[in-house]
């Protein structure tokens, strides 16, 4: 596994880009291919794909906060909820703004809420940030639950969808065993946003993910990314070397909120109706688990983590009663036997390799 | 608002606060020596509550027993809850922490590990009917394992009598028992950590692990001890909770655990007396807050209080550190 | 910033005012007085040694003048401005950079990235500049990399730029800390026991290096245990004992000062 990852990392730029493009194309094609084994027999594969994609988006946002800046945010679901509720409130309950405008509004409001929460709380010590953000996440949910203006537990329906541009229809494959048939009776319309077929939403989210990935790469390889990393490594040393750590932590918080809010807004639009129920703290922990399982600080790791967290329970629905138990066991096993995550950042992999080599050498001396 | 309502809210706030405080000790002690949030502590509490319920069921406790017998039953339930919680706490330390500690893993990984342990412990309880079925014991154990995801009520054998009235407000026996029992346990623990040799070890490790190691203190033993102490207190808290609330459930620990942790941070995490102050403050604030804003805003009040306190006193009301203030 | 990167030979400005003045600085922690009305000055272009037995308050002094601690009373005036309640990064940007007694590098970043973080102290690239690769970003990145390469070369780390800080040897890590501090373009460079754990050859090289840094126009404040190194490289020495200044003068004066001999030279047993 590690050798494969290193080979990927060391491959020439052209090969890597070609690989990534192929991967992206495959990702876009997944709902049409509906491949056996991967497809989810007991739930709508397209809906599952959308869920996985929205988790991946959230994980990318949280990875900025947690993986880059090292801030433990246990209430990330709060931003997801703010994004979802913004779309619902201004698109249906108290307004009827069109979807594109709602997206912009949702992103602005979540970013603002990130700044508002971060400005006072990022001054408290790191460990306390966990509990403060946890409280924030709960407050958001409870406000949604108890506020009449937000329709309380009844939730909000009739959330607008993105404008549909119906250009053409694409058939999908059905499989009998290992033989694929083109199913002309089950087509996805490009791009018709509707309740039944989640495929266009999945494509939209995937596109957003690709944009976020680009931004993520550009930021990480700049002064901003270096400042985050330095702050995470040693806050005091960073500060004494001229890094305004508070400002950069706040920036990370705002960026994380931005991405989380975007994902929440997409989620609300796809559902068509929302209530406070899906925004419980456990979901925050799921998001957190996605980032940590994947390997904090690695954007690909975050995506893999999101797939593990969102896809596996759907794929193995027959064990649905036991999914939380299995999930807990997985967390326990992973953190104990692979503490750096499934895909640790490349740099840390290099360190590990070097440590291994040292250990081998030392072992060699002892045995020789 | 009548005086009786106010007294009612105050007393029940203190009772709930004392339970939070007792529960919070586990977080505070572990944080003191490890600088880690023991996320699985909530399940330590939950298992203790079931131990008490099961023991009562097994012994056939019911209301209308003689008072001495009832007290004896409750004491046995206390021992059972403390023993099971203590044991679970040690298991958590072994399974979720000790390996990572020896690997020097980053704190976040330990947190995830504890979250995993917490899910597993809660789900085992929530699936106990299925698990008993695998080994063919679901029939025999039916009263204990059936309807595993529903609430289970605690057969409290002690009558809840009105002891006296203050301004038309009846002060009930259960409330006072719970309040005083919690306070006694806390004082006992505080004295233990302050005065005993083991307690000194705990304090030494929490203040300066390296120096403590140089002085020949076995850090692993101290850590196990803190988990055990926290577990024992959580077990006691679980029984008191049952006496006060009357029911438990496989996921009862989650929100309560967050509250208890909030109490610990509020008072100054790592500080035993801070846990008491934080617990009582939180209990009262919740009750008064629900009076002003309505019961549904209780938790919001609790979390807002936490955020406000941390902004103005970033190390909590009494500051951090076990036993002694740090420079 | 008109100055070119490392080469600031013109920085010996004709100002006669001292670069830094500690004015009656007192620091109390609870009942412990770590610094007791300490006053001294650092002149532009000099190498000042700060010595004293263990626990005399040398590192506390560093912490007071880099903003880690606020003085309980008294003040620090740097380049004509009182530091007041400035934040640590602002003090760094005024021109005070430091290294640490126990090395504090960004261990999981490469050597070059460590230096780049220092160079970024004077950069303004934010999210928009970085996202759209605007000219400012490109200019600052190029400038930062050039400065980093120069400083790594200066510190004999030219070949180690792409290695993680944690994989460098002990001596390399110490030098990397100096490079990182220099990258913030300080007027005053504070070195906290830079030679700790060095062998005589490495110490000699370090002395040369400190002189070279000074000759480039920097002022250096040096905490050091090794008497020979301090005597050999500094222009002036301030001696602390129990948080108080007990002597201030040229190395040969200090060597013969009876108070210093009693306080410090007599208890030289913990030296390597």
């Amino acid at each position: 596994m590690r050798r494969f990852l290193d080979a990927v990392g060391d491959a020439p730029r052209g090969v890597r880009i070609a690989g990534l493009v192929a991967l992206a194309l495959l990702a876009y094609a997944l709902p049409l291919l509906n491949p056996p084994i991967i497809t989810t027999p007991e739930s709508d594969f397209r809906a599952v794909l959308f869920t996985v994609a929205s988790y991946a988006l959230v994980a990318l946002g949280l990875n900025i906060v947690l993986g880059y800046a090292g801030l433990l945010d246990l209430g990330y679901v709060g931003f997801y909820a703010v994004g979802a509720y913004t779309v619902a409130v201004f698109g249906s309950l108290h307004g009827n703004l069109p979807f594109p405008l709602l997206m912009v509004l949702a992103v602005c409001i979540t970013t603002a809420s990130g700044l508002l929460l971060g400005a006072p709380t990022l001054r408290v010590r790191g460990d306390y940030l966990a509990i403060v953000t946890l409280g924030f996440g709960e407050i958001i949910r409870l406000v949604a639950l108890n506020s009449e203006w937000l329709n309380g537990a009844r939730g909000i329906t009739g959330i607008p969808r993105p404008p549909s541009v119906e250009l053409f229809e694409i058939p999908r494959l059905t499989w009998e065993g290992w033989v694929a048939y083109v199913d002309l009776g089950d087509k996805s319309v490009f791009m018709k946003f509707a309740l039944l077929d989640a495929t266009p939403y999945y494509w939209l989210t995937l596109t957003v993910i690709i944009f976020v990935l680009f931004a993520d790469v550009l930021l990480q390889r700049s002064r901003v990314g270096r400042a985050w990393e330095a702050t995470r490594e040693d806050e005091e040393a960073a500060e004494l070397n001229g890094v305004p750590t508070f400002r950069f932590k706040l920036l990370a918080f705002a960026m994380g909120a931005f991405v989380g809010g975007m994902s929440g807004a997409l989620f609300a639009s796809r559902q068509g109706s929302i209530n406070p129920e899906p925004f419980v703290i456990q979901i925050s922990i799921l998001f957190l688990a996605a980032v940590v399982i994947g390997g904090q600080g690695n954007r690909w790791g975050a995506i893999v983590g999101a797939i593990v967290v969102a896809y596996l329970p759907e794929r193995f629905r027959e064990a649905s009663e036991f999914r939380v138990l299995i999930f807990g066991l997985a967390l326990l096993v992973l953190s104990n036997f692979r503490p750096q995550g499934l895909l640790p950042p490349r740099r840390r992999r290099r360190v590990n390799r070097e440590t291994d080599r040292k250990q081998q050498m030392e072992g060699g001396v002892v045995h020789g | 608002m009548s005086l009786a309502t106010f007294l009612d809210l105050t007393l029940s706030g203190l009772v709930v606060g004392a339970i939070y405080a007792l529960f919070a000790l586990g977080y505070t002690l572990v944080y003191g020596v490890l600088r880690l949030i023991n996320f699985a502590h909530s399940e330590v509490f939950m298992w203790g509550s079931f131990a008490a319920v099961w023991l009562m069921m097994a012994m056939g406790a019911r209301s209308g027993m003689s008072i001495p017998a009832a007290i004896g039953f409750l004491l046995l339930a206390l021992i059972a809850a403390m023993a099971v919680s203590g044991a679970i706490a040690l298991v958590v330390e072994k399974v979720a922490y000790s390996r990572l500690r020896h690997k020097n893993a980053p704190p976040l990984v330990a947190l995830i590990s504890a979250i995993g342990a917490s899910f597993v412990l809660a789900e085992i309880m929530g699936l106990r009917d299925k698990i008993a079925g695998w080994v063919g014991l679901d029939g025999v154990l039916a009263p204990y394992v059936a309807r595993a995801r529903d609430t289970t009520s605690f057969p409290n054998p002690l009558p809840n009598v009105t002891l006296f009235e203050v301004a038309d407000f009846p002060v009930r026996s259960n409330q006072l028992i719970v309040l005083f029992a919690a306070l006694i346990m806390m004082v006992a623990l505080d004295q233990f950590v302050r005065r005993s040799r083991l307690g000194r070890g705990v304090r030494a490790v929490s203040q300066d692990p390296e120096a403590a190691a140089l002085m020949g203190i076995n850090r692993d033993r101290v850590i196990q001890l803190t988990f055990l102490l926290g577990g024992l207190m959580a077990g006691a808290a679980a029984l008191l909770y049952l006496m006060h609330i009357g029911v438990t459930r496989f996921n009862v620990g989650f929100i309560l655990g967050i509250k208890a942790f909030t109490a610990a941070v509020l008072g100054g995490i790592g500080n035993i007396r801070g846990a008491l102050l934080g617990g009582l403050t939180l209990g009262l604030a919740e009750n008064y807050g629900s009076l002003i804003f309505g019961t549904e805003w209780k938790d919001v009040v609790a979390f807002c209080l936490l955020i406000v306190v941390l902004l103005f006193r970033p190390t909590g009301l009494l500051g951090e550190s076990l036993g002694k203030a740090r420079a | 910033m008109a100055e070119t990167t490392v080469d600031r030979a013109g920085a010996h400005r004709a100002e006669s005012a001292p670069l830094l003045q500690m004015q009656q600085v007192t620091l109390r922690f609870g009942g412990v007085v770590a610094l007791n009305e300490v006053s001294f000055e650092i002149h532009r272009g000099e190498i000042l040694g700060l010595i004293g037995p263990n626990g005399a308050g040398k590192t506390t002094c560093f912490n007071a003048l880099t903003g880690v601690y606020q003085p309980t009373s008294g003040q620090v005036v740097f380049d004509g401005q009182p530091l007041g309640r400035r934040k640590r990064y602002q003090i760094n940007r005024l021109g005070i950079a430091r290294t640490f007694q126990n090395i504090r590098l960004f261990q999981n970043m490469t050597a070059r990235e460590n230096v780049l973080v220092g160079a970024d102290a004077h950069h303004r690239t934010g999210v928009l500049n970085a996202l759209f690769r605007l000219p400012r970003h490109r200019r600052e990145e190029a400038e930062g990399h050039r400065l980093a390469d120069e400083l790594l070369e200066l510190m004999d780390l030219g070949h180690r730029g792409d290695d993680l800080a944690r994989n460098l040897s002990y001596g390399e890590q110490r030098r990397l800390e100096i490079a990182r501090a220099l990258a913030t373009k300080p007027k005053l460079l504070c070195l906290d026991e830079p030679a700790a754990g060095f062998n005589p050859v490495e110490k000699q090289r370090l002395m040369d290096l400190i002189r070279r840094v000074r000759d480039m126009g920097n002022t250096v404040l040096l905490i050091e245990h090794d008497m020979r190194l301090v005597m050999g490289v500094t222009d002036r020495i301030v001696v602390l004992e129990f948080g108080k200044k007990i002597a201030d003068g040229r190395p040969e004066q200090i060597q013969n000062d009876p108070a210093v001999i009693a306080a410090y030279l007599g208890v030289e047993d913990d030296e390597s």
Side-chain angles (χ1 to χ4, degrees):
Chain A
M1 175 79 170
R2 190 185 287 173
R3 197 169 307 155
F4 170 73
L5 291 175
D6 287 333
V8 171
D10 296 336
R13 202 180 150 85
V15 175
R16 266 205 336 259
I17 291 175
L20 287 179
V21 170
L23 202 65
L25 287 178
L26 179 68
Y28 275 107
L30 265 183
L32 304 175
L33 294 177
N34 206 16
I37 297 186
I38 292 176
T39 193
T40 47
E42 300 194 26
S43 39
D44 179 6
F45 184 52
R46 292 161 281 181
V48 170
L49 280 176
F50 170 75
T51 310
V52 172
S54 64
Y55 269 59
L57 187 55
V58 169
L60 281 174
L62 187 56
N63 184 45
I64 296 176
V65 180
L66 180 69
Y68 295 167
L71 303 168
L72 180 50
D73 185 346
L74 289 184
Y76 199 67
V77 74
F79 298 127
Y80 192 68
V82 169
Y85 264 90
T86 305
V87 169
V89 167
F90 296 103
S92 163
L93 191 61
H94 298 296
N96 49 2
L97 300 177
F99 182 81
L101 207 61
L102 285 171
M103 256 331 248
V104 176
L105 195 65
V107 163
C108 290
I109 291 182
T110 36
T111 309
S113 70
L115 290 173
L116 226 59
L117 173 69
T121 56
L122 286 174
R123 292 184 197 279
V124 307
R125 262 236 326 274
D127 314 300
Y128 290 163
L129 188 65
I131 183 84
V132 171
T133 48
L134 197 113
F136 164 78
E138 259 310 82
I139 288 174
I140 296 287
R141 184 181 71 87
L142 290 168
V143 167
L145 185 66
N146 295 323
S147 157
E148 269 312 302
W149 192 71
L150 295 173
N151 255 11
R154 277 164 295 148
I156 301 170
T157 53
I159 299 168
R161 301 181 178 285
S164 298
V165 189
E166 294 174 39
L167 294 179
F168 48 86
E169 294 183 333
I170 313 170
R172 61 183 73 244
L173 299 181
T174 43
W175 297 76
E176 272 171 33
W178 289 97
V179 188
Y181 299 93
V182 178
D183 187 350
L184 291 173
D186 186 9
K187 294 178 187 165
S188 276
V189 182
F190 186 92
M191 293 278 279
K192 182 175 173 226
F193 292 95
L195 182 63
L196 279 180
D197 186 2
T199 314
Y201 279 102
Y202 168 68
W203 283 332
L204 178 63
T205 311
L206 206 56
T207 313
V208 172
I209 288 178
I210 289 171
F211 274 105
V212 170
L213 276 173
F214 271 113
D216 190 88
V217 173
L218 291 171
L219 275 186
Q220 205 210 1
R221 290 191 198 149
S222 75
R223 168 171 178 257
V224 178
R226 282 194 296 269
W228 282 336
E229 209 172 341
T231 306
R232 190 193 62 209
E233 289 280 311
D234 186 334
E235 189 167 339
E236 194 174 81
E239 183 93 359
L240 288 166
N241 280 289
V243 180
T245 53
F246 174 72
R247 211 178 297 164
F248 277 103
K249 286 197 288 186
L250 194 58
L251 178 66
F253 225 63
M255 303 285 302
F258 181 106
V259 177
M262 221 154 42
S263 188
L266 287 168
F267 168 79
S269 166
R270 151 81 185 116
Q271 294 293 310
S273 64
I274 55 166
N275 60 52
E277 201 194 342
F279 304 111
V280 290
I281 295 180
Q282 282 90 335
I283 301 298
S284 271
I285 289 166
L286 222 55
F287 292 159
L288 185 77
V291 176
V292 177
I293 288 177
Q296 327 158 28
N298 182 342
R299 55 187 79 87
W300 302 109
I303 293 177
V304 170
I307 295 171
V308 170
V309 163
Y311 169 74
L312 290 187
E314 291 292 343
R315 174 64 184 80
F316 300 102
R317 249 210 137 102
E318 54 272 28
S320 65
E321 269 183 326
F322 299 100
R323 59 208 265 189
V324 184
L325 179 63
I326 293 166
F327 183 61
L329 280 172
L331 286 185
L332 206 51
V333 170
L334 264 173
S335 52
N336 275 279
F337 294 97
R338 208 172 156 76
Q340 70 278 46
L342 291 173
L343 279 182
R346 183 166 153 65
R347 219 181 271 128
R348 229 165 280 163
R349 282 209 306 276
R350 211 161 58 206
V351 179
N352 292 337
R353 252 195 299 172
E354 215 146 299
T355 325
D356 286 358
R357 208 159 44 215
K358 265 189 212 148
Q359 273 164 0
Q360 274 167 11
M361 276 161 60
E362 279 161 17
V365 171
V366 170
H367 295 124
Chain B
M1 176 189 63
S2 71
L3 186 59
T5 320
F6 178 76
L7 288 175
D8 184 12
L9 285 173
T10 307
L11 186 59
S12 71
L14 288 174
V15 170
V16 171
I19 295 172
Y20 287 157
L22 211 49
F23 192 172
L25 287 174
Y27 291 106
T28 266
L29 286 167
V30 169
Y31 191 90
V33 296
L34 282 182
R35 309 278 135 179
L36 291 173
I37 303 169
N38 179 10
F39 204 90
H41 190 57
S42 48
E43 293 353 291
V44 169
F45 171 92
M46 181 274 289
W47 274 80
S49 73
F50 273 94
V53 169
W54 288 340
L55 186 78
M56 284 302 198
M57 288 166 73
M59 293 191 310
R62 64 201 145 72
S63 57
M65 296 171 72
S66 71
I67 300 282
I71 291 175
F73 271 37
L74 281 175
L75 284 177
L76 285 176
L78 178 71
I79 293 168
M82 288 175 77
V84 168
S85 285
I88 296 280
L90 287 177
V91 169
V92 167
E93 196 278 330
K94 192 82 211 144
V95 174
Y97 284 98
S98 83
R99 199 187 146 82
L100 286 172
R101 191 168 65 246
H102 293 124
K103 275 195 192 171
N104 267 330
L108 207 61
V109 175
L111 181 73
I112 297 294
S113 176
I115 289 174
S118 162
F119 283 10
V120 170
L121 283 169
E123 286 300 312
I124 289 177
M125 187 57 81
L127 296 165
R128 60 187 187 277
D129 45 356
K130 306 273 178 334
I131 294 168
W134 295 342
V135 287
L137 287 174
D138 46 342
V140 190
L141 294 177
Y144 302 98
V145 299
R147 284 182 292 119
R149 295 191 101 74
D150 295 346
T151 51
T152 308
S153 56
F154 175 67
N156 188 350
L158 202 63
N160 191 9
V161 294
T162 302
L163 294 178
F164 51 88
E165 288 195 0
V166 182
D168 289 341
F169 166 65
V171 175
R172 313 274 250 161
S173 55
N174 261 350
Q175 286 183 316
L176 286 190
I177 292 172
V178 170
L179 185 58
F180 283 110
L183 292 177
I184 290 168
M185 305 281 307
M186 299 217 43
V187 170
L189 182 81
D190 187 54
Q191 290 302 315
F192 174 78
V193 171
R194 253 157 221 277
R195 299 201 193 279
S196 73
R197 202 172 61 82
L198 284 168
R200 273 202 299 279
V202 171
R203 263 161 47 216
V205 171
S206 77
Q207 280 174 23
D208 191 338
E210 280 163 33
L214 290 175
M215 307 294 281
I217 294 172
N218 182 340
R219 181 154 182 261
D220 283 341
R221 290 308 277 275
V222 166
I223 289 168
Q224 284 160 7
L225 177 70
T226 47
F227 272 86
L228 178 65
L229 286 176
L232 294 176
M233 294 296 133
L239 180 76
L240 299 182
Y241 174 82
L242 288 172
M243 289 178 67
H244 184 61
I245 305 288
V247 292
T248 185
R249 202 177 168 196
F250 78 102
N251 61 0
V252 73
F254 192 80
I255 286 294
L256 265 180
I258 291 172
K259 291 287 186 60
F261 185 71
T262 303
V265 174
L266 204 56
I269 196 159
N271 182 327
I272 293 174
R273 293 174 184 190
L276 178 60
L277 182 65
L280 295 181
T281 311
L282 187 67
L284 285 177
E286 271 185 10
N287 269 9
Y288 293 148
S290 61
L291 178 73
I292 299 167
F293 303 103
T295 325
E296 69 270 29
W297 295 102
K298 195 162 112 178
D299 293 351
V300 177
V301 170
F303 290 124
C304 287
L305 174 73
L306 174 77
I307 293 177
V308 170
V309 168
L310 281 184
L311 291 186
F312 293 101
R313 275 197 72 86
T315 51
L317 294 172
L318 290 188
E320 294 176 16
S321 162
L322 280 176
K324 192 174 135 222
R326 217 174 300 176
Chain C
M1 289 277 110
E3 326 153 306
T4 55
T5 54
V6 183
D7 177 38
R8 297 199 292 128
H12 278 278
R13 272 175 283 170
E15 296 162 39
S16 56
L19 180 61
L20 181 126
Q21 292 167 289
M22 296 279 282
Q23 296 176 344
Q24 309 268 324
V25 173
T26 298
L27 243 161
R28 245 182 241 116
F29 298 106
V32 184
V33 183
L35 286 182
N36 193 353
E37 306 211 330
V38 172
S39 300
F40 62 85
E41 295 176 348
I42 305 175
H43 304 292
R44 289 171 206 278
E46 77 174 343
I47 300 177
L48 180 76
L50 186 60
I51 65 171
N54 279 330
K58 295 169 304 219
T59 297
T60 313
C61 206
F62 260 39
N63 285 336
L65 64 88
T66 50
V68 176
Y69 300 141
Q70 286 288 333
T72 317
S73 67
Q75 64 172 353
V76 183
V77 178
F78 181 73
D79 216 2
Q81 302 179 55
L83 292 184
R85 302 197 66 83
R86 279 195 177 78
K87 302 224 163 54
R88 297 163 196 189
Y89 75 90
Q90 290 169 326
I91 291 175
N92 172 276
R93 287 179 182 183
L94 276 182
I96 303 180
R98 68 174 286 180
T99 65
F100 299 87
Q101 194 176 344
N102 44 339
I103 301 172
R104 290 176 72 171
L105 289 165
F106 309 124
Q107 296 287 352
N108 289 310
M109 299 172 82
T110 64
R112 180 173 293 105
E113 284 170 332
N114 268 275
V115 184
L116 280 172
V117 169
D120 281 335
H122 296 285
H123 291 166
R124 292 283 163 280
T125 295
V127 172
L128 288 182
N129 271 290
L131 279 186
F132 298 102
R133 289 292 187 252
L134 297 180
R136 180 201 288 279
H137 166 83
R138 290 205 298 267
R139 193 182 63 235
E140 289 184 348
E141 283 295 295
E143 194 236 31
H145 275 90
R146 204 172 53 235
L147 177 63
D149 286 341
E150 274 177 48
L151 286 172
L152 287 172
E153 207 57 58
L154 178 75
M155 289 293 143
D156 236 350
L157 293 167
H159 57 298
R160 295 295 251 159
D162 293 323
D163 290 306
L164 290 189
R166 62 163 8 130
N167 291 341
L168 301 188
S169 74
Y170 178 78
E172 287 173 329
Q173 295 201 3
R174 286 239 173 255
R175 297 204 299 276
L176 181 56
E177 264 208 322
I178 300 177
R180 182 179 66 182
L182 280 175
T184 67
K185 299 177 185 166
K187 295 177 184 138
L188 174 65
L189 177 65
C190 305
L191 303 176
D192 197 345
E193 298 199 26
F198 276 19
N199 64 37
V201 182
E202 289 174 314
K203 280 184 182 170
Q204 185 57 47
R205 295 230 308 261
L206 185 76
M207 274 166 74
D208 295 342
L209 205 60
I210 292 173
R211 279 202 205 92
R212 223 178 328 152
V213 167
R214 189 263 306 272
D215 293 342
M216 290 183 322
N218 293 290
T219 307
V220 179
L221 173 61
L222 175 69
I223 293 183
E224 188 48 64
H225 256 315
D226 185 311
M227 272 302 151
R228 194 158 347 132
L229 196 148
V230 175
M231 295 297 165
V233 77
T234 56
D235 302 311
R236 204 157 57 82
I237 294 176
V238 168
V239 189
L240 294 180
E241 188 195 16
F242 299 124
K244 281 187 122 150
K245 187 172 93 170
I246 58 168
D248 183 344
R250 293 155 53 75
E252 51 281 16
Q253 291 171 321
I254 296 296
Q255 249 166 336
N256 300 319
D257 188 316
V260 177
I261 294 169
Y264 193 91
L265 301 178
V267 288
E268 217 178 337
D269 49 26
D270 63 328
E271 296 257 332
S272 52

